[in-house]
Amino acid sequence: MASKKTAPLGVGLDIGTMNLVSARRTADGTVETTRMRDAFLDLDARAKKMLKLSGVNFIDHGEDGIIVVGDAAMEMANVFGREARRPLSQGLISAGEMDALDVLGVLVKNVVGEPAKAGEVCYFSVPAAPVDESRDVVYHRGVFERIVTECGYEPYASNEAMAIIYAETAADGFSGLGISFGSGMCNLALAVSGVEGMVFSVARGGDWIDAGAARATGSTQSRMCALKEQGVDLMDPKSREEEALILYYKSLIEYALDQTTREFIKIKDRFSLPRPIPIVVSGGTSLAGNFLPFFEEVFEKKRRKFPIEISEIRHANDPLNAVARGLLIQAMQEYEGD
Amino acid sequence: MAQAAAEGAAKQAIASMTPLMQSMLDTMQKSQAPAPEDFENRIEQAMARALGSAPSGEGGGARPLMGGPEEPVFIPTGIVKADAESLDVQSDSSEDEGLDDAALALKALRKRKKK
């Protein structure tokens, strides 16, 4: 009798301000990624009947109302003329969102699913502390360790940008500068031969672009976000609003590169780079049209004074899932030799 | 709520300080001695001690302590409910695309480092 193939153990979980993404191997050798929008919307209990008919995900709190979660929360927010609430703010658990923990528990449980066996290893992403804001990640990491444990897994926290290094630079000996352009923040990691030399984050991301462009044009942040998601070509703006978006994209990239220079100067005496390394860009904010040539254009103006010798600049193979895949690679290591 | 807590703490500190200050004033009046030079400092220090021992207005077990890495941080339990709702999620399957190769390369790299 042929033995049934079982899926290899290990899960990667990318916890982002805009999306939660998990990655795991399947029995047939493919990689399954599961995504949910990291958003929720509280509605009156009277909306329950309507939502049941439409098949929308919601959490029933009886007379206290219902909470719509995931992508539906964004859609319903538009329907009701409201803003969806986010459990995370600028990459970290939002201290002001009292319902955040309950919602995060439900979202994570559904994104990672049941463990293949009790205590299956789950590597989850944690941002580095931002260099431009006084926030630490201790509480954030502790909460997600607890959530992942309560989902039945053995949790391991791992830096978000280092996950990009593991996913995208195997051919470079796991050496490179990984940049995750997220919604709430950007995470950066410099590594040589898999050794982390520098990790940090900046408290600016896609949301910051939307807010800035909205202020510049008298529009709304939601409209800017919708414009981006409809598809903006960074090399060919077609409206005043797109020009404003591009201005803030440029500012964000310049800011990230300038902070990289500042942070590298602090460590350069004790961390040598034996050869040029690639820059790998990833994250939802990097999905804008022509992001890569745009990034290269901005970088070229800074290359002469950039303290790190760069061999090439490339996009992650799968920018939305690269972090989850890198975390999965690390989780798989826990079972090597099993 | 925070302001009410601060006011409550201040009132309690004053209440605990009043007998001490009255005693000091009585002593000074009886001896007709001038106030000590560091009188104000002593009052400030005593107030700081009194405020430090006053309870805060909100339950200490409900909120985390936002401190640095060396300070204890309260993480609540029972965040994930056993009967948490099952939701429709978006799942995609894709080919390996080098994931196995990357995992093997990382394993080899770590083995080399151990030697």
Side-chain angles (χ1 to χ4, degrees):
Chain A
M1 191 161 64
S3 62
K4 193 179 169 189
K5 257 186 162 180
T6 53
L9 294 171
V11 175
L13 173 63
D14 176 16
I15 299 164
T17 306
M18 185 66 94
N19 289 293
L20 295 170
V21 182
S22 71
R24 62 158 73 242
R25 298 292 306 283
T26 62
D28 60 6
T30 57
V31 178
E32 182 183 75
T33 51
T34 300
R35 187 194 68 77
M36 269 197 100
R37 200 79 147 183
D38 203 353
F40 67 103
L41 183 72
D42 51 304
L43 294 174
D44 199 80
R46 287 171 292 181
K48 204 188 306 183
K49 209 184 268 186
M50 177 187 76
L51 293 179
K52 265 187 183 164
L53 287 170
S54 59
V56 165
N57 287 324
F58 65 86
I59 303 168
D60 193 344
H61 280 184
E63 285 175 8
D64 290 336
I66 58 174
I67 295 182
V68 181
V69 293
D71 295 63
M74 308 291 280
E75 290 157 17
M76 287 292 121
N78 282 332
V79 167
F80 289 98
R82 291 171 53 188
E83 291 283 341
R85 294 160 70 181
R86 304 240 207 117
L88 301 193
S89 168
Q90 290 184 306
L92 296 171
I93 288 178
S94 178
E97 273 295 355
M98 304 313 289
D99 296 320
L101 294 192
D102 288 342
V103 171
L104 283 169
V106 173
L107 288 173
V108 170
K109 189 172 166 89
N110 278 273
V111 167
V112 295
E114 292 295 325
K117 73 173 201 182
E120 184 180 8
V121 166
C122 174
Y123 268 70
F124 66 95
S125 65
V126 179
V131 294
D132 50 1
E133 272 197 8
S134 55
R135 297 171 80 184
D136 70 64
V137 300
V138 177
Y139 177 63
H140 177 94
R141 185 178 64 227
V143 165
F144 282 103
E145 270 174 357
R146 183 61 53 80
I147 289 176
V148 170
T149 301
E150 290 180 354
C151 288
Y153 292 84
E154 186 180 349
Y156 287 83
S158 184
N159 179 264
E160 176 177 328
M162 278 302 293
I164 295 173
I165 299 291
Y166 291 122
E168 300 287 333
T169 64
D172 305 285
F174 298 104
S175 301
L177 174 64
I179 309 179
S180 174
F181 285 95
S183 177
M185 57 180 6
C186 292
N187 273 269
L188 299 94
L190 171 72
V192 171
S193 299
V195 175
E196 177 187 299
M198 173 180 84
V199 292
F200 70 94
S201 71
V202 294
R204 295 183 186 183
D207 292 347
W208 179 83
I209 291 174
D210 298 339
R215 278 196 307 274
T217 57
S219 183
T220 64
Q221 200 166 335
S222 304
R223 164 134 179 86
M224 289 294 131
C225 185
L227 248 185
K228 266 179 8 192
E229 294 188 352
Q230 278 164 26
V232 61
D233 184 340
L234 298 182
M235 302 296 275
D236 185 24
K238 300 223 172 16
S239 68
R240 189 171 148 260
E241 284 167 329
E242 288 191 1
E243 282 174 5
L245 279 171
I246 285 161
L247 183 77
Y248 278 88
Y249 262 99
K250 181 169 180 264
S251 178
L252 177 66
I253 293 168
E254 286 174 339
Y255 186 71
L257 292 172
D258 289 343
Q259 293 296 335
T260 302
T261 298
R262 272 185 66 169
E263 294 302 308
F264 183 76
I265 285 169
K266 293 178 192 173
I267 59 142
K268 68 183 174 86
D269 290 338
R270 56 180 191 276
F271 191 79
S272 68
L273 295 169
R275 56 191 176 277
I277 57 170
I279 292 178
V280 181
V281 298
S282 188
T285 298
S286 77
L287 291 177
N290 274 323
F291 182 88
L292 194 64
F294 187 80
F295 184 100
E296 287 171 331
E297 202 172 84
V298 175
F299 178 75
E300 279 311 310
K301 292 188 176 131
K302 294 190 175 282
R303 184 190 281 271
R304 199 169 54 85
K305 290 187 179 175
F306 200 64
I308 304 167
E309 214 176 329
I310 300 300
S311 57
E312 66 167 322
I313 299 171
R314 60 179 191 257
H315 224 146
N317 285 318
D318 187 356
L320 270 185
N321 298 320
V323 171
R325 292 169 66 92
L327 293 163
L328 173 58
I329 288 168
Q330 295 172 75
M332 287 162 64
Q333 303 298 302
E334 301 294 327
Y335 296 101
E336 290 298 315
D338 280 7
Chain B
M1 194 155 49
Q3 189 175 348
E7 285 172 5
K11 282 181 183 168
Q12 187 159 352
I14 291 168
S16 67
M17 282 294 301
T18 301
L20 172 65
M21 288 175 69
Q22 190 60 55
S23 160
M24 288 170 72
L25 286 168
D26 287 346
T27 305
M28 281 160 57
Q29 278 174 351
K30 278 179 191 167
S31 66
Q32 293 182 335
E37 283 179 8
D38 63 343
F39 185 68
E40 283 186 20
N41 282 345
R42 288 192 202 178
I43 296 291
E44 274 181 32
Q45 286 166 12
M47 284 292 292
R49 282 194 297 273
L51 279 167
S53 63
S56 62
E58 298 183 34
R63 285 172 57 195
L65 299 172
M66 301 295 287
E70 286 147 15
E71 296 184 29
V73 177
F74 171 75
I75 307 293
T77 56
I79 301 172
V80 181
K81 311 287 184 284
D83 59 349
E85 282 82 352
S86 284
L87 309 171
D88 293 330
V89 291
Q90 184 182 330
S91 289
D92 295 308
S93 272
S94 61
E95 292 304 315
D96 189 275
E97 283 174 13
L99 192 118
D100 266 349
D101 292 340
L104 284 170
L106 183 60
K107 181 183 173 187
L109 178 71
R110 287 177 173 174
K111 252 188 188 164
R112 278 199 303 274
K113 284 185 181 170
K114 274 184 187 170
K115 287 181 184 172

